[in-house]
Amino acid sequence: MRVMLKACMDTEKANEAIRSGTLGKLIQESMEQIKPEAAYFTTDHGKRTAYVFFDMQDSAQMPVLSEPFFLNLGAEITYTPVMNAEDVERGLSQLGR
């Protein structure tokens, strides 16, 4: 299932990771593990935030993918099912109209 992982990072922990030079490495390693179809980095409610879109094969992946963000950045993590345009079209075609 295609999902969006949203990681809102604690500002102070992210600042520490930037100062120590570990934030870039953490993001790079996470992206290599997740293999996203897209990843965007911005702010949300004043916090550094990552939006990562990928195909989750098994919900057992959630702890493995989340823990680096929890442990190193004090992040708040959410997973949300998402669709691309093809998914929406396929879903709408099944409405039977």
Side-chain angles (χ1 to χ4, degrees):
M1 172 183 287
R2 182 176 288 110
V3 298
M4 176 185 72
L5 179 157
K6 177 182 175 185
C8 265
M9 304 166 210
D10 174 76
T11 301
E12 194 52 45
K13 287 202 173 218
N15 287 347
E16 290 172 22
I18 289 171
R19 287 186 196 108
S20 69
T22 59
L23 182 61
K25 182 179 179 186
L26 173 73
I27 290 172
Q28 180 183 8
E29 289 173 353
S30 294
M31 295 305 105
E32 288 171 1
Q33 184 173 31
I34 296 171
K35 298 176 181 49
E37 71 179 55
Y40 302 97
F41 302 87
T42 187
T43 60
D44 185 37
H45 294 92
K47 293 187 177 185
R48 292 176 185 97
T49 303
Y51 292 93
V52 183
F53 300 85
F54 68 102
D55 186 32
M56 182 179 287
Q57 299 296 318
D58 185 346
S59 60
Q61 290 177 270
M62 292 170 72
V64 174
L65 302 178
S66 301
E67 286 306 322
F69 292 104
F70 286 140
L71 293 171
N72 298 297
L73 301 172
E76 295 179 15
I77 304 289
T78 58
Y79 288 92
T80 306
V82 295
M83 297 182 285
N84 64 17
E86 292 173 5
D87 297 333
V88 172
E89 287 179 27
R90 197 168 66 247
L92 291 175
S93 72
Q94 295 175 20
L95 289 176
R97 293 182 180 191

